[in-house]
Amino acid sequence: HPTFVSDALENDLVETCEHYAALDPAEFPACAAAGKRWMAHLASGAWVCKADNFWVQPQAMWGMPQGLRDDLAVGGLTVVKGDANYRRLLGDRTWDASADSFEDVVGAYFPCPVVALRTLKAEVACGLVKEKAEKAASEDKEWMCNGKYGVVHFGKGVGA
């Protein structure tokens, strides 16, 4: 039961799924099949889009209300996207970008398995491969802030 954490609204998710489902399967077979599968997940309740005011607040994710923690804990996976939400996952604090793993920083408190999708737009990070970070820094002084680089992280969560 993925949970998409975003500034997007429920109708944005539904419209995206409908768009993919309506694609010509001859031209876009994988996308059309995915859209139909996603629509079925929404219709069956396997996917639930649930608004909560917490998602539009600035506080760190470890400060989420207990009711929301409980809701997420029963899900199979939470997908958190975007620079602002990633920074909230890390408490917008300075971590050693290579030595501090995403699992240690986020997986240690998040109530369920979590995937973070982020385009880097601020000097807040963890879980980076040291050699790749050093290479990026040598090629581009603004690599952590200019939106040209991104990360995908996974944490098991405390319920796993």
Side-chain angles (χ1 to χ4, degrees):
H1 302 351
T3 301
F4 292 89
V5 178
S6 173
D7 52 357
L9 301 173
E10 182 174 1
N11 65 323
D12 298 318
L13 174 62
V14 172
E15 287 176 11
T16 298
C17 294
E18 288 172 343
H19 172 78
Y20 275 81
L23 290 172
D24 180 358
E27 190 174 357
F28 304 102
C31 293
K36 287 177 178 40
R37 203 168 46 251
W38 299 341
M39 291 300 297
H41 290 329
L42 287 169
S44 73
W47 283 7
V48 178
C49 187
K50 195 171 181 182
D52 190 291
N53 198 39
F54 174 77
W55 301 122
V56 296
Q57 302 302 314
Q59 71 190 108
M61 295 263 184
W62 55 69
M64 73 176 64
Q66 189 60 48
L68 180 56
R69 291 185 68 77
D70 294 343
D71 284 347
L72 293 176
V74 299
L77 177 70
T78 297
V79 179
V80 178
K81 73 118 189 128
D83 182 70
N85 283 324
Y86 181 91
R87 290 168 54 194
R88 291 178 64 209
L89 283 169
L90 275 59
D92 217 3
R93 292 194 166 101
T94 301
W95 300 93
D96 185 307
S98 298
D100 295 321
S101 74
F102 187 80
E103 182 64 36
D104 289 343
V105 175
V106 178
Y109 77 83
F110 210 80
C112 67
V114 58
V115 170
L117 311 172
R118 181 214 189 185
T119 301
L120 292 125
K121 296 179 186 170
E123 293 177 340
V124 175
C126 69
L128 302 181
V129 176
K130 184 176 183 175
E131 295 76 19
K132 289 184 178 184
E134 288 172 348
K135 184 177 188 291
S138 72
E139 294 173 359
D140 185 346
K141 290 180 186 178
E142 300 297 320
W143 76 279
M144 289 192 78
C145 299
N146 63 18
K148 293 180 182 177
Y149 296 83
V151 296
V152 177
H153 288 304
F154 174 79
K156 293 178 193 168
V158 294

